[in-house]
Amino acid sequence: MDDDKVGKMKMKGYFVLLVVLFTGGCLYGQDYEAWLKRERAEREKFAKEEKAGLQKLQKEYDAFVEARDKEFSEFLKQRWKEYEMFAGKKRDAGVPKPKVSPVASAKQDVKTVLLRIENPDEGRLVVRDASPVLRTKKSGSKQVRELQVCYVFYGNKVVLPVDEALKLECEKVNEEYFASYWLRASQSNYDELLDCLFAYKSALGLNDWGYYMLVRAFADHFLKGDNSRHLLCWFLMNKSGYMASLGFGEGKVSILLPARQAIYGRSYISRGGLHYYIMADLKRLATYEKNFAGSNRLLDLGFETALNFSVDRVQARSVVFDGREVKLLYNAHVVDFYGDYPSTELSVYFNTPFSNVAKESLSESLYAGLQGCDSKTRVSKLLSFLHESFPYMTDEEQFGQEKYFFPEEVLFYPYSDCEDRAAFFSSLVTLVAGLPCVGLSYPGHVAAAVKMDSVNVGNYLLLDGERYLSCDPTYIGASIGMSMPRYANQSAVVIKQEEGCGISREREDRVLARVKEAGGNVLNVSTGLVKGKDGEVYVTGVFDDVFRAGREVLKNTSKGNRVFLAKLDKSDRFAWALALDGSGENDLPRHLARHDEDVVLSGSFQGTARVGGRVLQAEEGQGMFVVNVSRSGNVKWTSTVAVPRELVDEGYSYMMKFNDRGEVLDSQFRPMMPEARGEEISVVRDNKWMISGMYTPVRPLVQENRIEAKHERGVLEMADRLKAINDVLVQENVHSTIAGLLAVVSLMSDGSEIIRGEEFIRALDRYNSSFKSKCPNIYKNIKRVDFVKGEHGFVDIKTTDGKSITIDKMRLNNGSRIRFSELPEGHVLVEVVDGMSVGKAFIWFKLNSVKLHRDTGDLVFDYDRDHTLKTFNLGRDILQ
């Protein structure tokens, strides 16, 4: 069945449902019954064809995985090579830090000097070591005896299903045994365990190294003996897609882990241009030379989101800010996690967000002292705050060794030294002043610099043509623009802060407002907004009818969304705009990135599309596109990759690789998996483009034919339809507190639907009559919803009075726009396109998305530019 026929079939079904809804009557008679019978038969035929295609694909996956495991096992039998072991490197070796924090003289003048900096690779993408290999899952048909392993990971309860076949104790320490171990472990049902581990990784906000810590904690609770635990970690990390090797010597076994960043103080071997860090105490080590073909991802020690740990150990520190005492809260579980984290590069510390506990406490506690202040005054007060409320002491004096702090740790430890204060200050300025910051690393000292257009006096540096003023949290009493005299003439290494990509919050808000005025929406600020040279900003998103970008007027003549790409100058005027002239509802931008003078946009599309005079064609209905555009707005090249038809409706993870002419070098597509990362564009070491991500489908959670089966003569009212879907979801073990919300999601996820606010109230009054008395504020605000409308994959929310609605900790503006999609675990992702925020009182953060957990009723909020995570339970925290 071709894609056009599938689309028409779906639209016919929704048209009939709308007729039923808006006529208020039932459709009776033999004609309707005959039509319904034919429609069900066609749906069932399509479902069988899709299922057969997926089964064929899965058989191919199974054969591929089995052959790859056997090949690697045979390779492991060969004699391993002994490698030279190197002692762990030390940071800042031989460069002493100031014993005491120097005090600025009251007579010292603030001079205007251009600071010398080392090349920070302005405007260049991250260089990856290789294109990632997507995990290929085996079929789960094999009958296994399943165990349940429970443990507590930094205050968070973890429950994992484990195939008993993985309970393998290390019997021998030699090549032959390791080869046998690999085959035996490979025959177990390990994929279910990995799915659960990756789900916890996502829920807790763990990065790659945190994932390894989670796996190691599991091995510690599941097995006895360090050798057995290292073997299991080695197997699971490889099967998770991470590069991991195994070494042995003198009867001991160790997993060996390479990382993207340097790890200090840990022994390593050098192989293939990488440092493999030894996770056990070995004096001699032999290992193999070729990695498992299914794993080539280096562990990243950087954090893309904030840690989202249990809040049952919140502690406080009393400090003075702006003349008054405040209590700053932090999460002790997060501090414990950081205490066990390996020592690494400064860029990791400068780019690690506060936990939700610390973030909200800092925002609320410092708000009163900063309210109404201009940017210069805000930064001055925060600089004085560091000078006066956080005592200085070197790590050698406090710990007897060098130890870098993550920003949240500064709230826990009594003393901090220069790099700790600089990272904390940078994070604080970005959080409460909304200004971009960078770190300045000198030999033996670390300071910071803040982008401020309003200040023209003081030591400064230029990044992408923009001015950053020196700020030193360790130079007591120093004002903005002052540097310690001993470092003022030295060259500094710039430590970039990734949050906001060098765009202030105020500038970001202006750009988003300009886009909205033009008629568009930015779907995801993190992946749809990027800074160019000399204050320019590139932005991508979608528009419905017309996009008026200055003199450029882009029109939409298709039935779906139109993708746009535009550039704004430093005065926020549109310089140029391009449209992806497509024909499908799934035409969406996925990621925008800048590299040197060009910008690259990736996305998904259906059928045929045009951009910049070039034609894009999706051979099998749906495809991924890449467009390379020059600074002046000229399309330099385009490229497309077809998506396997079997995966289009189910969703998929993908990886594509191109050369600098847009020629496809490699592409991988797999069914959706919980470990899939957000969209990413990067460059691999051989100077090729690499684009990866996950496409999540927009589809009803409960198909209408299942509701028809319960109501053979049609559904009279929307309230009944919502109740019927709710009942089906509860039968499928969806948590009762969230089933009603997911029923609304199911109805709005496909086709064109409109639900009036009064219909929500009618459903509550009829089927949950106690809701009004139990949750009066929420009930009152639901009454203020005029209607919820679904169209082209998006859902718009309108209020009766045109004003915002506050439901517990979430605020919805009139005209809020969201998008629903189904995740691999069966949970639902609500992507916020526009108009929603989370917080309270005067402090609100932009809401990026909400993940709805169908099995627990948990809602995981992802908010603000640093992707802070916070979990609420719908039953316990909101509906109580």
Side-chain angles (χ1 to χ4, degrees):
M1 186 182 299
D2 59 36
D3 294 302
D4 289 339
K5 191 172 182 181
V6 174
K8 291 175 182 177
M9 181 183 73
K10 288 182 177 179
M11 291 309 298
K12 280 200 302 182
Y14 283 109
F15 176 75
V16 171
L17 288 171
L18 289 174
V19 169
V20 173
L21 174 63
F22 290 114
T23 58
C26 300
L27 297 176
Y28 295 98
Q30 294 181 347
D31 289 344
Y32 170 72
E33 295 294 343
W35 175 88
L36 184 60
K37 187 176 181 180
R38 290 195 305 270
E39 193 72 11
R40 285 177 180 165
E42 194 166 0
R43 286 175 181 168
E44 289 172 3
K45 180 183 176 184
F46 173 73
K48 288 179 181 178
E49 291 175 355
E50 186 180 58
K51 184 178 180 180
L54 288 172
Q55 288 174 341
K56 181 176 180 292
L57 201 61
Q58 188 60 60
K59 287 182 180 179
E60 294 173 1
Y61 289 160
D62 289 346
F64 172 72
V65 171
E66 183 178 3
R68 191 169 60 182
D69 284 329
K70 286 182 178 179
E71 179 186 356
F72 188 58
S73 177
E74 288 299 315
F75 170 75
L76 291 174
K77 293 177 182 179
Q78 302 173 21
R79 185 170 180 83
W80 293 9
K81 177 182 175 182
E82 188 161 329
Y83 278 77
E84 181 182 1
M85 297 170 57
F86 297 93
K89 293 182 178 179
K90 294 183 178 180
R91 290 179 300 196
D92 300 330
V95 184
K97 295 180 180 179
K99 289 288 184 182
V100 295
S101 51
V103 179
S105 169
K107 299 179 180 180
Q108 183 177 342
D109 294 329
V110 180
K111 299 179 180 180
T112 302
V113 177
L114 177 63
L115 299 174
R116 292 189 296 126
I117 59 173
E118 295 186 15
N119 180 22
D121 292 330
E122 298 175 63
R124 294 190 67 82
L125 284 170
V126 171
V127 176
R128 299 294 183 192
D129 291 270
S131 305
V133 176
L134 301 182
R135 177 160 65 105
T136 305
K137 294 175 65 172
K138 302 188 301 180
S139 55
S141 58
K142 178 174 174 279
Q143 293 295 317
V144 299
R145 182 178 176 187
E146 191 173 274
L147 306 175
Q148 193 177 75
V149 177
C150 305
Y151 59 98
V152 177
F153 182 76
Y154 297 98
N156 307 283
K157 185 178 179 181
V158 175
V159 181
L160 297 171
V162 187
D163 184 352
E164 189 180 33
L166 271 176
K167 200 172 184 65
L168 300 171
E169 299 293 345
C170 182
E171 300 169 2
K172 298 178 183 179
V173 180
N174 59 45
E175 295 91 339
E176 191 74 27
Y177 178 75
F178 299 147
S180 171
Y181 177 94
W182 182 272
L183 271 188
R184 291 167 64 193
S186 297
Q187 291 163 5
S188 69
N189 182 24
Y190 56 82
D191 275 314
E192 184 180 3
L193 171 61
L194 294 183
D195 285 347
C196 290
L197 285 167
F198 276 119
Y200 278 110
K201 177 181 184 287
S202 174
L204 298 176
L206 299 174
N207 61 359
D208 291 345
W209 195 270
Y211 178 76
Y212 164 68
M213 294 169 70
L214 181 70
V215 170
R216 176 65 206 222
F218 158 67
D220 288 347
H221 284 80
F222 186 55
L223 297 173
K224 297 178 181 179
D226 282 342
N227 284 354
S228 302
R229 293 164 177 169
H230 278 273
L231 276 171
L232 182 56
C233 289
W234 165 66
F235 175 77
L236 293 177
M237 292 302 289
N238 271 291
K239 286 296 185 177
S240 298
Y242 295 104
M243 294 173 70
S245 193
L246 190 71
F248 73 96
E250 298 179 342
K252 288 187 176 181
V253 177
S254 177
I255 186 175
L256 313 177
L257 295 172
R260 287 195 54 214
Q261 297 85 0
I263 296 177
Y264 299 109
R266 185 168 288 279
S267 299
Y268 65 93
I269 64 168
S270 183
R271 194 185 82 189
L274 296 173
H275 290 170
Y276 284 75
Y277 295 96
I278 306 166
M279 305 310 294
D281 184 16
L282 298 184
K283 295 180 180 178
R284 296 178 57 188
L285 184 143
T287 186
Y288 52 89
E289 297 186 23
K290 185 177 74 173
N291 286 323
F292 174 56
S295 60
N296 71 342
R297 180 178 289 130
L298 288 174
L299 274 80
D300 191 340
L301 277 75
F303 290 83
E304 295 181 355
T305 63
L307 294 173
N308 183 29
F309 285 4
S310 168
V311 294
D312 60 358
R313 280 187 63 217
V314 173
Q315 298 178 0
R317 175 173 183 161
S318 294
V319 293
V320 174
F321 174 68
D322 198 37
R324 61 188 182 88
E325 184 176 342
V326 295
K327 284 190 175 182
L328 302 179
L329 306 180
Y330 58 89
N331 190 325
H333 291 308
V334 169
V335 172
D336 289 344
F337 175 87
Y338 290 147
D340 293 333
Y341 206 78
S343 180
T344 186
E345 297 173 6
L346 272 173
S347 60
V348 172
Y349 301 87
F350 271 81
N351 285 286
T352 298
F354 293 109
S355 71
N356 56 60
V357 171
K359 178 173 189 161
E360 293 173 11
S361 175
L362 286 164
S363 300
E364 294 170 14
S365 299
L366 306 184
Y367 177 81
L370 300 175
Q371 187 179 13
C373 297
D374 59 22
S375 60
K376 179 181 178 181
T377 305
R378 286 189 172 205
V379 174
S380 294
K381 287 189 174 187
L382 293 174
L383 194 56
S384 297
F385 179 45
L386 266 292
H387 291 161
E388 298 166 5
S389 296
F390 294 87
Y392 175 87
M393 183 182 287
T394 65
D395 292 333
E396 287 290 338
E397 290 181 280
Q398 189 171 189
F399 303 108
Q401 62 181 7
E402 186 67 28
K403 174 180 169 53
Y404 290 174
F405 288 168
F406 288 93
E408 192 151 348
E409 289 183 287
V410 173
L411 299 175
F412 170 72
Y413 289 102
Y415 304 100
S416 53
D417 68 5
C418 59
E419 73 276 351
D420 312 323
R421 303 158 75 85
F424 180 72
F425 171 77
S426 296
S427 299
L428 207 55
V429 168
T430 303
L431 173 62
V432 298
L435 298 173
C437 293
V438 296
L440 299 178
S441 180
Y442 300 95
H445 183 59
V446 181
V450 182
K451 181 182 176 297
M452 283 185 288
D453 299 327
S454 59
V455 181
N456 297 314
V457 179
N459 293 346
Y460 70 97
L461 58 130
L462 291 175
L463 285 177
D464 280 329
E466 297 185 299
R467 194 182 185 102
Y468 285 69
L469 274 293
S470 174
C471 294
D472 197 331
T474 305
Y475 194 18
I476 307 302
S479 60
I480 296 171
M482 292 178 66
S483 304
M484 288 189 194
R486 64 184 290 189
Y487 300 109
N489 295 319
Q490 294 189 37
S491 180
V493 175
V494 173
I495 306 165
K496 284 194 170 183
Q497 197 176 52
E498 295 174 7
E499 180 189 336
C501 300
I503 302 172
S504 69
R505 287 178 188 269
E506 183 181 346
R507 177 81 191 280
E508 180 183 294
D509 290 341
R510 291 201 308 269
V511 170
L512 295 179
R514 292 284 287 125
V515 169
K516 193 168 184 178
E517 289 170 7
N521 284 120
V522 178
L523 302 187
N524 186 323
V525 174
S526 298
T527 58
L529 196 68
V530 64
K531 188 180 77 168
K533 279 184 170 293
D534 301 323
E536 300 166 343
V537 172
Y538 298 93
V539 61
T540 187
V542 298
F543 66 98
D544 293 330
D545 300 314
V546 178
F547 188 75
R548 302 182 184 279
R551 296 179 180 177
E552 296 278 356
V553 179
L554 309 178
K555 295 183 179 180
N556 186 0
T557 57
S558 68
K559 65 179 180 180
N561 312 298
R562 181 68 60 83
V563 176
F564 73 85
L565 170 62
K567 186 178 89 169
L568 289 81
D569 63 21
K570 62 182 180 181
S571 300
D572 298 329
R573 296 184 297 244
F574 284 104
W576 51 259
L578 298 171
L580 183 78
D581 187 3
S583 57
E585 294 190 3
N586 289 322
D587 293 358
L588 295 171
R590 312 300 297 181
H591 195 97
L592 179 66
R594 172 189 160 209
H595 188 59
D596 293 332
E597 295 288 323
D598 295 347
V599 287
V600 178
L601 173 65
S602 68
S604 58
F605 75 109
Q606 283 182 305
T608 302
R610 293 173 177 82
V611 59
R614 298 169 186 255
V615 178
L616 310 179
Q617 185 69 46
E619 296 177 3
E620 298 188 32
Q622 182 165 321
M624 304 296 296
F625 71 83
V626 185
V627 181
N628 188 329
V629 183
S630 70
R631 187 180 180 188
S632 59
N634 295 318
V635 176
K636 297 176 73 171
W637 56 259
T638 63
S639 193
T640 62
V641 177
V643 178
R645 180 183 170 189
E646 297 84 359
L647 298 178
V648 170
D649 288 338
E650 297 299 314
Y652 49 86
S653 303
Y654 62 88
M655 188 287 297
M656 305 174 294
K657 188 176 178 181
F658 308 85
N659 62 20
D660 55 8
R661 298 182 300 278
E663 296 169 338
V664 181
L665 303 176
D666 184 22
S667 65
Q668 300 173 36
F669 291 88
R670 298 287 187 273
M672 284 193 302
M673 286 176 281
E675 69 267 30
R677 304 181 178 202
E679 278 66 34
E680 179 180 45
I681 300 178
S682 54
V683 174
V684 292
R685 287 196 182 279
D686 51 2
N687 203 31
K688 305 296 189 297
W689 295 92
M690 190 274 289
I691 299 173
S692 61
M694 180 171 69
Y695 175 84
T696 52
V698 179
R699 60 186 180 188
L701 303 179
V702 177
Q703 298 297 328
E704 287 292 342
N705 61 332
R706 298 185 65 187
I707 307 306
E708 293 161 5
K710 295 171 71 69
H711 300 267
E712 290 292 340
R713 296 193 176 275
V715 180
L716 290 175
E717 294 184 3
M718 181 67 70
D720 298 323
R721 292 174 67 193
L722 289 171
K723 178 60 167 62
I725 297 173
N726 177 91
D727 292 347
V728 171
L729 290 170
V730 171
Q731 290 171 8
E732 294 177 347
N733 297 318
V734 172
H735 200 279
S736 58
T737 58
I738 204 169
L741 179 57
L742 291 182
V744 177
V745 171
S746 185
L747 272 180
M748 306 305 299
S749 290
D750 205 359
S752 297
E753 285 283 4
I754 298 177
I755 305 180
R756 296 284 176 183
E758 60 202 45
E759 291 169 321
F760 288 124
I761 294 299
R762 189 178 299 120
L764 287 171
D765 290 345
R766 183 176 300 173
Y767 297 112
N768 191 0
S769 58
S770 62
F771 186 87
K772 182 177 181 179
S773 59
K774 286 183 177 179
C775 308
N777 290 330
I778 296 177
Y779 185 89
K780 175 183 174 183
N781 279 300
I782 291 175
K783 291 186 72 172
R784 293 180 54 208
V785 174
D786 186 11
F787 64 83
V788 179
K789 178 183 178 183
E791 191 171 17
H792 305 319
F794 294 94
V795 176
D796 295 326
I797 304 171
K798 296 287 186 179
T799 61
T800 54
D801 55 7
K803 296 180 181 180
S804 62
I805 294 174
T806 301
I807 299 178
D808 195 62
K809 302 168 180 66
M810 187 168 64
R811 185 169 66 189
L812 291 77
N813 294 336
N814 181 48
S816 292
R817 171 169 277 197
I818 57 181
R819 180 178 183 268
F820 299 122
S821 57
E822 189 174 353
L823 294 172
E825 315 95 299
H827 307 314
V828 171
L829 182 67
V830 182
E831 298 173 273
V832 179
V833 178
D834 185 41
M836 291 191 181
S837 50
V838 62
K840 61 182 179 181
F842 301 102
I843 301 169
W844 294 91
F845 299 101
K846 183 181 182 301
L847 185 59
N848 303 315
S849 65
V850 184
K851 186 176 180 180
L852 312 179
H853 285 253
R854 58 188 290 146
D855 54 343
T856 62
D858 284 345
L859 312 180
V860 181
F861 285 67
D862 177 323
Y863 61 94
D864 205 15
R865 302 195 301 180
D866 60 4
H867 294 280
T868 303
L869 300 178
K870 187 169 185 177
T871 301
F872 298 98
N873 184 268
L874 189 59
R876 294 191 305 271
D877 302 323
I878 297 176
L879 298 182
Q880 285 293 337

